[in-house]
Structures are given as C-alpha cells and as structure tokens.
Amino acid sequence: MLGTVRGNRRLCMAHYESGFDTSFVDHNPDGSSEYGIFQLNSAWWCDNGVTPTQNLCHMECRDLLNPHILDDILCARCGLDPGDSWIRHCSGHDLSEWLKGCNMHAKPDAKKINNS
C-alpha cells in the first residue's frame, strides 16, 4: 500500500508529524486544526464543522482519528504539503531505513506491463 519510496516518505512524515498517533489533533493560531497520523489541516483537507474549508479530500476530520489509516493515506496522496517536519527531518536524508526489515515489495504497474 505504501510502496517503497513513497512509503519511506510517508512513514518519515508520520513519525515527525504525529509520532504515529492516529488520534493526534493539533490546533493552529489561525483557528484551523490538524488531524491524524499525517496532520491533515482542516482548512484544506477535511471538514471539522468549525473551520472554513476547501475539504479537498471530501471527508470529515474525525474520520482521520481512527486506527484505520487507508483514508488518511488516500487523502495524503491528494497533494499533502510536506511542511516543516519534512524539510527538517526527511528531505534529503536516506529514508531506506524506514522500511528496512518490512519485506515490502512495490507492486508492478499493470499499465506498464500490458503496454510492453
């Protein structure tokens, strides 16, 4: 699901954004809040019923606070801004350690296989 390169990036971000806490909520000075393992902002990605939002992921923010992270991953794929944690801790670093020992293999792209 996470792939290899993207999985490394998302795991690194999740570690520094939320400490892998799917129920973590952080409140910002502008009145918006950030939700879940990827700290998706209520002004852009989800609707918390309080903050004016673009709701680009078409979901309620509370849905990002449970241990089922498939919807979080799908939302993060919409163009999540990596933010300060990514810049300080992940960008430009060797991220291969994040998946070391996981025995994960990227699935082949069926379109590329069928078009070969």
Side-chain angles (χ1 to χ4, degrees):
M1 170 67 60
L2 287 172
T4 51
V5 174
R6 288 186 193 146
N8 293 344
R9 292 176 185 162
R10 288 190 186 109
L11 284 171
C12 185
M13 283 180 58
H15 173 75
Y16 288 105
E17 288 291 328
S18 67
F20 299 116
D21 182 352
T22 59
S23 64
F24 186 65
V25 179
D26 191 23
H27 302 285
N28 298 315
D30 67 0
S32 68
S33 297
E34 300 187 11
Y35 292 84
I37 195 166
F38 296 115
Q39 291 294 276
L40 296 162
N41 189 282
S42 61
W44 292 100
W45 305 107
C46 60
D47 184 3
N48 65 3
V50 177
T51 309
T53 182
Q54 296 292 314
N55 197 6
L56 296 173
C57 292
H58 310 287
M59 65 188 308
E60 294 185 23
C61 296
R62 70 173 177 239
D63 293 337
L64 296 167
L65 301 177
N66 60 50
H68 307 287
I69 65 168
L70 179 57
D71 53 356
D72 304 53
I73 293 168
L74 295 174
C75 183
R77 289 176 60 186
C78 290
L80 177 63
D81 178 13
D84 291 337
S85 293
W86 168 259
I87 293 166
R88 282 186 279 146
H89 302 288
C90 305
S91 180
H93 293 84
D94 177 11
L95 303 178
S96 61
E97 291 295 313
W98 287 101
L99 293 179
K100 190 174 185 174
C102 292
N103 213 11
M104 292 181 64
H105 304 284
K107 291 183 181 179
D109 187 341
K111 290 179 189 173
K112 288 181 183 177
I113 293 170
N114 293 334
N115 292 332
S116 297

